Amino acid sequence: MCGICGEFSFQGAPADRQRVRRMADVIFHRGPDAEGYHFAGAVGLGSRRLSIIDLAGGDMPVYNEDRSIAIVFNGEIYGYIELREELERRGHRFATRSDTETIVHAYEEFGERCVEHLTGMFAFALWDSRKGALFIARDRAGEKPLFYARVNGAGGDRLIFASEIKALLLDPDCPREIDDLALTQYLTALYIPYPRSIYKHIAKLPPGCWMRVTAEGVHVERYWFPERVRPNRLSLDEAVEDLRPLLADAVRLQMRSDVPVGAFLSAGMDSTSVVAYAVKTTEGAHMKTFAVGFEGADWDEREGARQVAQIYETDHYDITLTYADVWKLLPRAVWLLDEPMGDGSTVPLLAVAGLARQHVKVVLAGAGGDELFAGYARYRAGQQPPLRRALQSLPPAVKHLAERAGALYSAGFGHRVRVALRDVDTEYYEDGMWFSERERLALTGRNSAPYRDVVAQHYARWRTTDPVNRLMFVDMNTYLSDDLLPMTDRTSMGVSLEGRLPFLDHRLIEWAMALPSDLKLRNGTSKYVLRRAMEGLLPAEILNRPKRGFGPPFGAWLRHGLLDFTRQLLLSPAAQARGLYNPD
């Protein structure tokens, strides 16, 4: 796990060594163990390394046999042992035991299609000196970040890239202009969906995509198409029998490490399932697990986490996040995030990551389970009674007439008629909005609704008729990829901790997406097939516990000063001078 950065000059000018080094320095927290650079004419690559695999021999850049290829890499290739064996059979010779080197030889063997042979989380930049091409790629689900910008200033026409936006902003040629559309998207969803960032000229390389950069320009291409999976009609028993080895193998591969591995643990299904299989599939595993609770909260997951820790005999640690901790951690969290993110779980995640880093360098976590197995209540919108489905399928003109007729009785009744007649797609979008179009216009003077277009784009990609699976696919490409995964990455790497997510093994994703949704959401019970698969491994209290989010007690935080602090920030002269919103 590392932080990477670099630049490429389209005009062939030599890369600026000091500039690349400064970029690497500002993301020191992502890799405090080592640094490495490669400069070759127009290209400069930088890395900060957090040593996990091949502690002695895995420093970057890593090269092929004749050093015509150099790579800097952020992430882990969990299936590197099997891939290495295949490449050795094809005649490749390895100089290290690192997973990074498997990418180099896979590129030699398969070219740009090497990404299809990688099982893991990754963002890497590979310089092919023979082709004069910089090849940059990002993992399928988007666990590892990659930001880039094309800049043209005193340093010439260049592409710059990095694991975090703050590294790009060190370049004096990089524009700082705020993207109005991104701001609108943020106020709608509380995160900014790819490929935009809060900065107009800085983009995110989308998940499952690669980018080729040459003197001729930039070409981006998607290599992973999970929407093309064929529906797999399995019985419940068959699905349970398939799921168990898939999840077990995903966890087994992610337990590979040359340093101790721990796990975040709550009382929910996802993290407890990961811990159960980590202990079951790893010989001699003695896990350390970590949990967080909140001062002033109405409920506390730590008791359930302690119960699971006792069953699996883990060394368990937990903390209570206090109001004072919030004030202490908030500035650091904002600095790590680089752009607006309205997820209140950021601060507690940063706190529990700090606790874990005192004991381990790697943690497993359960993110992704909700999106694969219908864990959120909003997915129930896809399983409407036949009468409501019939009403939702009425022509738009008929719906409009019904709404107007209802409004003749009262405005409120007309609104309830409109809500009842919404189709699933509209219900998902409108119920997920934080600021309405009217509120955004009043607050910012901007009256666009581009987030609706983002949702519609992903709906259009999913062509099967299963509405619940369609909702989960949209969440994977919005909420998961641009809220949960960036939050997990920034908070863990902010304390030099590697976070691994077994539910996002691409084999498990593809299998789950092909599964009919009635095996995931049945009679109002979420994650039905996962609950059945974990019978015998988890206690009944965990299996039968309803979904509870990982949410801090905002009400208590606001009452203990956060509201006054927020008001002061928003109404300060500096904030008002930016002109981003109406202070009234």
Side-chain angles (χ1 to χ4, degrees):
M1 184 72 71
C2 303
I4 63 173
C5 60
E7 65 173 49
F8 175 86
S9 170
F10 293 99
Q11 300 163 330
D16 189 313
R17 293 171 179 258
Q18 290 302 112
R19 188 163 51 217
V20 174
R21 290 180 183 275
R22 286 196 301 270
M23 292 168 71
D25 286 344
V26 80
I27 53 174
F28 172 88
H29 51 277
R30 298 187 71 92
D33 295 334
E35 62 181 323
Y37 303 92
H38 176 80
F39 296 99
V43 70
L45 306 178
S47 72
R48 296 291 329 188
R49 185 187 181 208
L50 183 66
S51 305
I52 304 295
I53 300 289
D54 191 6
L55 305 184
D59 286 351
M60 288 180 281
V62 171
Y63 300 89
N64 64 337
E65 293 93 333
D66 64 4
R67 297 177 72 87
S68 61
I69 294 173
I71 189 174
V72 290
F73 165 52
N74 171 28
E76 299 289 349
I77 306 303
Y78 304 123
Y80 76 99
I81 294 176
E82 293 79 6
L83 179 57
R84 175 184 178 129
E85 292 171 352
E86 177 187 349
L87 291 167
E88 286 177 332
R89 287 193 295 269
R90 293 171 179 257
H92 294 267
R93 292 178 289 109
F94 283 73
T96 74
R97 295 187 301 104
S98 72
D99 58 331
T100 308
E101 193 178 359
T102 61
I103 305 175
V104 173
H105 293 289
Y107 176 81
E108 285 185 300
E109 185 68 32
F110 305 112
E112 290 162 344
R113 297 193 66 178
C114 65
V115 289
E116 300 170 20
H117 297 261
L118 304 179
T119 299
M121 57 176 180
F122 54 85
F124 64 81
L126 181 150
W127 171 243
D128 184 338
S129 61
R130 292 177 178 174
K131 295 181 178 179
L134 181 63
F135 180 63
I136 298 175
R138 193 170 175 215
D139 66 71
R140 297 167 178 85
E143 293 183 63
K144 292 292 99 186
L146 198 290
F147 298 91
Y148 69 97
R150 187 161 182 171
V151 301
N152 200 344
D157 186 10
R158 295 175 292 117
L159 182 125
I160 56 176
F161 67 90
S163 298
E164 297 183 12
I165 290 175
K166 60 177 64 66
L168 303 183
L169 295 179
L170 286 177
D171 191 320
D173 292 337
C174 186
R176 272 71 167 169
E177 182 182 353
I178 296 296
D179 186 339
D180 285 346
L181 289 181
L183 179 60
T184 301
Q185 290 174 343
Y186 168 70
L187 291 172
T188 306
L190 296 193
Y191 54 84
I192 299 169
Y194 70 79
R196 295 185 181 277
S197 79
I198 192 62
Y199 296 98
K200 189 172 184 177
H201 299 280
I202 296 177
K204 302 164 185 167
L205 182 63
C209 288
W210 57 256
M211 176 167 60
R212 181 176 59 245
V213 187
T214 66
E216 284 70 44
V218 178
H219 174 71
V220 176
E221 189 167 309
R222 190 151 64 95
Y223 66 86
W224 191 49
F225 300 88
E227 65 271 26
R228 295 178 182 175
V229 297
R230 294 182 178 180
N232 192 356
R233 295 301 311 184
L234 297 176
S235 69
L236 177 60
D237 289 340
E238 290 171 333
V240 166
E241 289 307 307
D242 279 2
L243 175 55
R244 284 170 175 162
L246 271 172
L247 182 54
D249 195 55
V251 174
R252 178 187 65 84
L253 288 180
Q254 297 199 24
M255 285 293 288
R256 286 178 171 172
S257 172
D258 291 336
V259 297
V261 178
F264 291 149
L265 183 59
S266 69
M269 277 288 301
D270 300 334
S271 66
T272 53
S273 298
V274 167
V275 169
Y277 273 116
V279 173
K280 182 179 179 181
T281 61
T282 307
E283 184 178 355
H286 190 74
M287 299 282 290
K288 296 181 186 294
T289 52
F290 309 94
V292 60
F294 307 108
E295 183 180 63
D298 296 330
W299 62 282
D300 194 334
E301 282 197 342
R302 286 178 300 170
E303 188 56 40
R306 291 167 187 163
Q307 180 185 4
V308 175
Q310 188 173 18
I311 292 172
Y312 289 101
E313 299 180 338
T314 72
D315 291 336
H316 188 67
Y317 305 84
D318 57 41
I319 55 172
T320 300
L321 191 68
T322 68
Y323 311 122
D325 295 326
V326 175
W327 296 113
K328 180 180 178 182
L329 292 171
L330 191 56
R332 175 70 175 175
V334 170
W335 185 82
L336 290 170
L337 290 175
D338 280 339
E339 63 179 354
M341 184 175 290
D343 196 318
S345 299
T346 303
V347 171
L349 267 178
L350 183 58
V352 74
L355 170 67
R357 188 60 181 88
Q358 298 174 29
H359 304 274
V360 296
K361 245 183 177 179
V362 179
V363 290
L364 306 183
D370 289 315
E371 289 76 11
L372 294 189
F373 297 107
Y376 300 128
R378 57 180 172 267
Y379 298 142
R380 295 172 188 165
Q383 291 186 338
Q384 298 292 354
L387 176 59
R388 178 143 188 222
R389 287 202 301 271
L391 292 174
Q392 291 171 341
S393 65
L394 291 172
V398 175
K399 291 182 180 180
H400 182 64
L401 286 173
E403 182 183 346
R404 289 185 63 184
L408 293 175
Y409 178 76
S410 74
F413 185 70
H415 173 71
R416 287 195 292 272
V417 170
R418 189 191 73 80
V419 168
L421 295 178
R422 293 181 304 179
D423 57 33
V424 173
D425 301 0
T426 302
E427 181 174 343
Y428 170 90
Y429 171 73
E430 292 185 347
D431 290 353
M433 284 195 306
W434 288 84
F435 287 81
S436 69
E437 293 182 32
R438 178 177 56 80
E439 290 168 333
R440 291 197 306 270
L441 176 62
L443 180 63
T444 69
R446 297 161 177 85
N447 195 25
S448 56
Y451 186 72
R452 184 187 292 274
D453 298 335
V454 172
V455 172
Q457 166 196 337
H458 296 304
Y459 274 133
R461 287 174 59 188
W462 186 264
R463 298 185 182 277
T464 61
T465 57
D466 189 321
V468 175
N469 277 339
R470 197 180 191 191
L471 295 177
M472 286 186 283
F473 178 74
V474 173
D475 263 351
M476 283 189 61
N477 285 279
T478 52
Y479 178 60
L480 178 69
S481 63
D482 290 302
D483 183 311
L484 296 183
L485 296 186
M487 181 172 57
T488 300
D489 173 82
R490 305 308 185 275
T491 53
S492 58
M493 294 308 295
V495 296
S496 306
L497 178 74
E498 174 170 297
R500 298 179 175 183
L501 307 175
F503 279 105
L504 297 186
D505 183 301
H506 74 275
R507 302 166 301 168
L508 183 56
I509 293 175
E510 291 168 358
W511 178 85
M513 293 183 68
L515 200 65
S517 65
D518 61 356
L519 298 182
K520 307 171 189 176
L521 182 61
R522 177 167 292 191
N523 298 325
T525 300
S526 63
K527 301 182 183 174
Y528 193 78
V529 66
L530 180 61
R531 294 177 194 274
R532 285 289 303 274
M534 295 309 296
E535 288 177 355
L537 283 175
L538 294 178
E541 304 94 284
I542 298 294
L543 292 173
N544 299 324
R545 179 176 285 131
K547 169 74 175 175
R548 296 293 299 265
F550 181 65
F554 274 115
W557 287 7
L558 291 170
R559 287 190 296 273
H560 284 78
L562 190 59
L563 182 59
D564 292 337
F565 174 67
T566 304
R567 185 179 290 112
Q568 291 167 14
L569 280 178
L570 292 175
L571 297 180
S572 69
Q576 293 191 49
R578 297 185 185 107
L580 294 176
Y581 51 83
N582 181 344
D584 293 333

